Amino acid sequence: MLIENTIPARLEKIRKRMQEEQIDAYLVLSSDFHDSEYVGDYFKCREYISGFTGSAGTVLVMQDKAGLWTDGRYFLQAEKELLGSGITLFRTGEEHVPALEEYLEEQMPGRGCLGVDGRTLSVSAYRKLKQNLDRKQIAIRTECDLIGDIWSERPEMSCKPAWELDICYTGKTRADKLDTLRKELDKKGADAAVISSLSDIAWALNIRGGDIACTPVVLGFFVLAKEYALWFVQRSAISTELAAGLEQDGIMLRDYQDIYSFLSDELDVQSLYLDPDHVNWMLYEKASVRMQQKKIMEGHNITLLPKAIKNQAEIENMRKAHRKDAVACIRFIYWLKKQMCSTQETGGTGSNGPDAVTEISAAEKLEQFRAEQEHYLGPSFDTIAGYAQHGAVVHYAASRETDMPLKPENFLLADSGGHYLEGTTDITRTIALGPLTREQKHHYTLVLKGNIRLACAKFRYGCTGISLDCLAREALWKEGLDYNHGTGHGVGFLLGVHEPPNCFRNAVSDSRYECMKLEPGMITSDEPGLYIEGAYGIRLENLIVCRELEKSAYGRFLGFETLTLVPFEREAVLTEELDESEREWLNRYHARIFEAVSGCLEKEEREWLAEVTAPL
């Protein structure tokens, strides 16, 4: 007999509901209703039905089989978590592994029926599915939440208190932002827009909250028209004072779930604008019925560029946030090196003892140092702390089973970030825990050269992230080396740590963002890397803000200012492999760090910082 709470028992229940609904296959996505990067416990349907806890993946359930599609970050984790579940792992991107759409087309019967909760499927994703399935005349039913039907102990939807971010941090009032967005509507020729991405709504309303892990946002939908603004939100999340302030700015509150009935029954405009990559299919379907022959216009959210181009107050606050973050990171690196020296002095005997520093305890110590900083609100993502060979796993997540003790040798790759009232940080440092080989130093220096060259870029206005990405890779490419991820992503202001559209990549994807111009005020990560499988990984990440440099007869020229203020690993740099301009930049950068941060450190920490930031 199956135990009620096992994955096979859950699959049996879902299959019974599929039979009742005459559904041949059922898709379970990782998304919430807003296409968020992180989702709350209420939305973890894919985890519930599969037992797989990774952040990305899709489950397909059929009567005689089930599969999970996920990417290379999670292959090892998925293998372990799917054991005994009856769910097959499909390793996305590997040779001979069919894409989900191909598998559906191949396995489903002609004129069959695919079920999915349309609230978790974007308009773009729905169309991609339909394009494949139409060839076999397969119907897609989007009104069914079969997981919700069987999940008897489903957690409540998060409803943390919303709070207002003061204008001293935002630089612009709500009223100013809504005026800007209405002008964007006019440019699009639209009467109203539906915005469902939570970071965009939070930015527009100068509101933050706690409904999503690592992203301080509030669950809700926003409809902006020329004559009105509606925020569909859980009322208990909004205080009386905040509600009054919103009303004063012309923003009316409606219940969170009312968005669907509003679009189908009340919406009264001639043209509606939305982003098909972020608006869910059910919203679109409701609006389509209401609009009938009227116009639905599509494109990037009207908030996209106004949010990505930080104003002067936001940039200055981000500088403050990075000074605070630097104090925490520098104190952590100093503490960690002292721990490794102590271990080395005892002959390495402490590296496996009860007081040993491990990947997890190191990440916890870094969080402790951040928590001591004024206005710290929490991590901007789950810290990646990968020692030795684990550092070669790009998005490694330490678990109790994989947690390694650190030894006074090799590298620790630490990728982390924090949210402060003053902004969001994201930094990666690869820390030498002991003596390094010349090859390790050579590889570190190649990655450092890439970071510096991108930071030093001077380019004509109109360039995109694809135009500049090669600067970060050139030194690696010359030696036949590379890294299999983008060089940089946009970062929000006390919002998502991964914020479109600005990015550095060397290839065009389906995101539609790579061909957008870099604009002054955009904040982007600069994070080249190199990963030697089974040995170590190196990634060096700073945040850089795009700024105006000069205007000549040939046009406007832009460049970058580095916001991150944490030294690179002096003992890992082969100085002779840096050219003169790279050495000069590094010396200026380290001098700037000491000047900005040293006054916030204890005597021993300050003395150590003076050593590691001394001119090469």
Side-chain angles (χ1 to χ4, degrees), residues 16 76 83 112 128 140 203 270 314 359 369 387 389-390 426 466 519 531 571 579 593 595 599:
K16 183 179 179 183
L76 294 176
L83 279 175
K128 186 177 179 182
I140 304 176
W203 174 85
Q270 294 300 309
E314 289 173 318
E359 293 168 329
F369 281 123
Y387 173 60
Q389 65 266 32
H390 286 168
D426 183 4
I466 283 184
E519 300 279 355
Y531 309 93
E571 58 197 276
D579 66 28
I593 290 170
E595 180 181 357

Side-chain angles (χ1 to χ4, degrees), residues 117-136:
D117 184 347
R119 297 171 299 176
T120 66
L121 187 71
S122 73
V123 175
S124 298
Y126 173 86
R127 288 170 176 164
K128 186 177 179 182
L129 264 181
K130 191 172 188 305
Q131 183 177 5
N132 281 67
L133 299 184
D134 274 357
R135 287 193 280 263
K136 291 181 72 172

Side-chain angles (χ1 to χ4, degrees), residues 432-499:
L433 301 185
L436 301 173
T437 65
R438 184 168 183 84
E439 182 180 58
Q440 287 174 319
K441 293 180 180 180
H442 173 59
H443 286 160
Y444 185 99
T445 306
L446 289 175
V447 176
L448 177 61
K449 287 168 74 73
N451 180 285
I452 294 173
R453 288 179 182 182
L454 181 54
C456 291
K458 181 177 181 179
F459 54 96
R460 187 176 172 185
Y461 177 73
C463 283
T464 68
I466 283 184
S467 308
L468 304 181
D469 183 271
C470 62
L471 296 175
R473 298 179 193 263
E474 182 187 15
L476 291 165
W477 282 354
K478 282 184 177 178
E479 302 202 14
L481 303 170
D482 200 5
Y483 48 95
N484 192 25
H485 58 73
T487 300
H489 54 82
V491 176
F493 181 82
L494 188 46
L495 286 170
V497 74
H498 300 121
E499 178 183 275

Side-chain angles (χ1 to χ4, degrees), residues 596-607:
V597 180
S598 60
C600 302
L601 302 174
E602 300 294 331
K603 182 175 182 293
E604 285 187 4
E605 296 166 335
R606 187 163 54 248
E607 290 172 350

